[in-house]
């Protein structure tokens, strides 16, 4: 029989670093990290205009069974984000407003789940944000063992306990905690650079000129003509 664990201790990143990454947002963090860390697009925001950033508390569940989510609540701290996976694909509604109420009491910021959620209207009303692979009213049982705070794979991405999770309308990105500071610095530089570009574009400069793309277009054989040539 495979071993199952609830690991109590997690090494978390500096809160200031996590906050800086949250301010930068998913797209900028992904680019600043070298275009790594994105969860697949199956994981979607189930509310609009919400950004969270925190430390991952990971959960591995049997499909259709949310026992280990309940077990995970005890080891969560304020500022954490619960990341839930199943050992085989599942779209069952493994999480709803009662679990959200329990997590809110612990200061958990939100949920990322590679499975389904339900009670979506209630979750939105209570302001508990979720990113999920499905919305499905199908209920679950509490019967099968799993693990808390072990490495898991969510939407094709390895997530370790304590990883920095940033989630917004664009999706979810995950970084190893030790990489957080360097990525936050790179993200800040990227934001400053983009602000300058935004001002230039707003003044009317074209992207092909701003980025020096005309020689590339020429080298690729792209021609500018007033009309298509007769064939």
């Amino acid at each position: 029989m495979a071993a199952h664990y609830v690991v109590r201790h997690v090494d978390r990143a500096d809160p200031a670093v996590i906050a800086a990454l949250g301010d930068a947002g998913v797209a900028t963090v992904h680019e600043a990290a070298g275009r790594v860390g994105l969860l697949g697009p199956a994981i979607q925001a189930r509310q609009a205009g919400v950004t969270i950033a925190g430390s991952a508390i990971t959960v591995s569940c049997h499909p259709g069974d949310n026992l280990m989510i309940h077990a995970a609540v005890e080891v969560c701290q304020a500022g954490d984000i619960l990341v839930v996976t199943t050992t085989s694909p599942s779209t069952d509604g493994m999480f709803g407003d009662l679990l959200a109420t329990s997590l809110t009491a612990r200061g958990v910021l939100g949920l990322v789940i590679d499975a389904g959620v339900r009670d979506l209207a209630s979750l939105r009303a209570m302001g508990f944000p979720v990113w999920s692979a499905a919305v499905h009213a199908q209920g679950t049982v509490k019967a099968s063992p799993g693990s808390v705070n072990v490495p898991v794979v969510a939407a094709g991405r390895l997530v370790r306990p304590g990883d920095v999770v940033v989630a917004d309308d664009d999706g979810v990105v995950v970084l190893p905690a030790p990489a957080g500071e360097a990525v936050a610095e790179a993200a800040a530089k990227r934001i400053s650079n983009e602000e300058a570009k935004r001002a230039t574009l707003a003044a009317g400069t074209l992207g092909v000129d701003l980025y020096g793309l005309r020689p590339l277009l020429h080298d690729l054989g792209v021609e500018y003509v007033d009309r298509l040539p007769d064939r």
Side-chain angles (χ1 to χ4, degrees), residues 5 7 11-12 21 39 46 55 57 68 77-78 89 112 114 132 142 157 161 183 185 201 203 212 219:
Y5 302 98
V7 180
D11 294 320
R12 296 168 172 83
L21 292 169
L39 271 63
R46 302 300 171 178
S55 299
I57 296 296
M68 298 313 298
Q77 296 181 11
V112 175
D114 197 358
S132 71
K142 301 170 180 60
R157 168 68 187 176
V183 174
E185 292 174 357
L201 292 169
D219 292 344

Side-chain angles (χ1 to χ4, degrees), residues 41-102:
I43 304 293
Q44 297 185 19
R46 302 300 171 178
Q47 60 287 307
V50 176
T51 301
I52 61 173
S55 299
I57 296 296
T58 62
V59 188
S60 175
C61 294
H62 189 83
D65 192 316
N66 70 357
L67 173 64
M68 298 313 298
I69 301 180
H70 286 274
V73 175
E74 185 178 9
V75 301
C76 290
Q77 296 181 11
D80 287 341
I81 296 173
L82 202 65
V83 179
V84 178
T85 65
T86 55
T87 54
S88 61
S90 175
T91 58
D92 292 345
M94 298 181 61
F95 184 95
D97 59 355
L98 293 180
L99 271 167
T101 299
S102 187

Side-chain angles (χ1 to χ4, degrees), residues 71-226:
V73 175
E74 185 178 9
V75 301
C76 290
Q77 296 181 11
D80 287 341
I81 296 173
L82 202 65
V83 179
V84 178
T85 65
T86 55
T87 54
S88 61
S90 175
T91 58
D92 292 345
M94 298 181 61
F95 184 95
D97 59 355
L98 293 180
L99 271 167
T101 299
S102 187
L103 288 173
T104 298
R106 306 287 293 187
V108 173
L109 300 177
L111 170 79
V112 175
I113 181 168
D114 197 358
V117 298
R118 62 182 188 173
D119 302 332
L120 190 55
S122 296
L123 292 173
R124 288 171 175 166
M126 65 188 294
F128 189 88
V130 298
W131 285 255
S132 71
V135 177
H136 193 17
Q138 177 65 50
T140 57
V141 299
K142 301 170 180 60
S144 307
S147 291
V148 175
N149 283 332
V150 299
V152 298
V153 175
R157 168 68 187 176
L158 178 65
V159 185
R160 302 175 183 85
D163 280 357
V164 179
V165 179
V166 182
D168 62 20
D169 286 339
D170 289 334
V172 182
V173 66
V174 178
L175 301 172
E181 185 173 1
V183 174
E185 292 174 357
K189 293 178 181 177
R190 187 174 185 87
I191 290 170
S192 177
N193 185 41
E194 288 182 350
E195 287 175 351
K197 289 179 179 177
R198 188 174 294 108
T200 301
L201 292 169
T205 299
L206 297 174
V208 290
D209 295 318
L210 176 63
Y211 296 105
L213 299 177
R214 295 189 188 277
L216 175 60
L217 290 168
H218 178 270
D219 292 344
L220 292 173
V222 178
E223 299 182 45
Y224 283 80
V225 296
D226 291 329

